[in-house]
């Protein structure tokens, strides 16, 4: 789990657009080292993938103890949320952590109101 914490800490400085680009790059097999020229394509792909699963994500996350008791420690909260999203990402830890970071970047309350 410490690898997930380190990844979450790395993602903490990214804004939502960058997180979607990271998500898209991982989904398309480019990983974290995606080039800048591709970031818009990766971002669009990542955002579409996320939007297609948003209802499932809300079902899994909203109303849980984790959603109600976030600690304020971004990497720690991301790891906790990622544990819940892992089955929706085919047990891909990078995807789960990135999805969790997007949810936290939006704010859990805002995400769950959706």
């Amino acid at each position: 789990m410490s690898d997930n914490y380190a990844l979450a800490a790395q993602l903490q400085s990214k804004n939502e657009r960058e997180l979607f680009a990271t998500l898209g790059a991982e989904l398309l097999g480019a990983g974290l080292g995606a080039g800048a020229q591709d970031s818009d394509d990766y971002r669009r792909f990542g955002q579409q993938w996320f939007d297609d699963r948003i209802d499932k994500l809300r079902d899994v996350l909203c109303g849980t103890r984790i959603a109600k008791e976030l600690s304020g420690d971004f990497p720690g909260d991301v790891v906790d949320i990622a544990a819940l999203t892992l089955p929706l990402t085919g047990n891909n830890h990078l995807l789960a952590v990135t999805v969790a970071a997007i949810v936290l970047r939006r704010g859990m309350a805002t995400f769950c109101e959706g």
Side-chain angles (χ1 to χ4, degrees), residues 37-50:
Q37 69 275 14
D38 299 321
S39 70
D40 275 346
D41 291 335
Y42 291 139
R43 180 193 53 77
R44 281 192 296 275
F45 189 85
Q47 186 159 8
Q48 186 62 53
W49 183 93
F50 184 90

Side-chain angles (χ1 to χ4, degrees), residues 40-100:
D40 275 346
D41 291 335
Y42 291 139
R43 180 193 53 77
R44 281 192 296 275
F45 189 85
Q47 186 159 8
Q48 186 62 53
W49 183 93
F50 184 90
D51 290 346
D52 288 347
R53 288 155 183 80
I54 201 161
D55 290 332
K56 289 179 184 175
L57 289 166
R58 285 186 179 122
D59 288 345
V60 167
L61 296 175
C62 301
T64 65
R65 180 192 57 77
I66 289 173
K68 294 175 183 169
E69 298 177 7
L70 296 175
S71 69
D73 170 36
F74 185 88
D77 289 342
V78 165
V79 170
D80 289 343
I81 292 168
L84 298 174
T85 65
L86 197 57
L88 296 176
T89 63
N91 291 320
N92 180 314
H93 289 266
L94 177 57
L95 289 180
V97 169
T98 305
V99 166

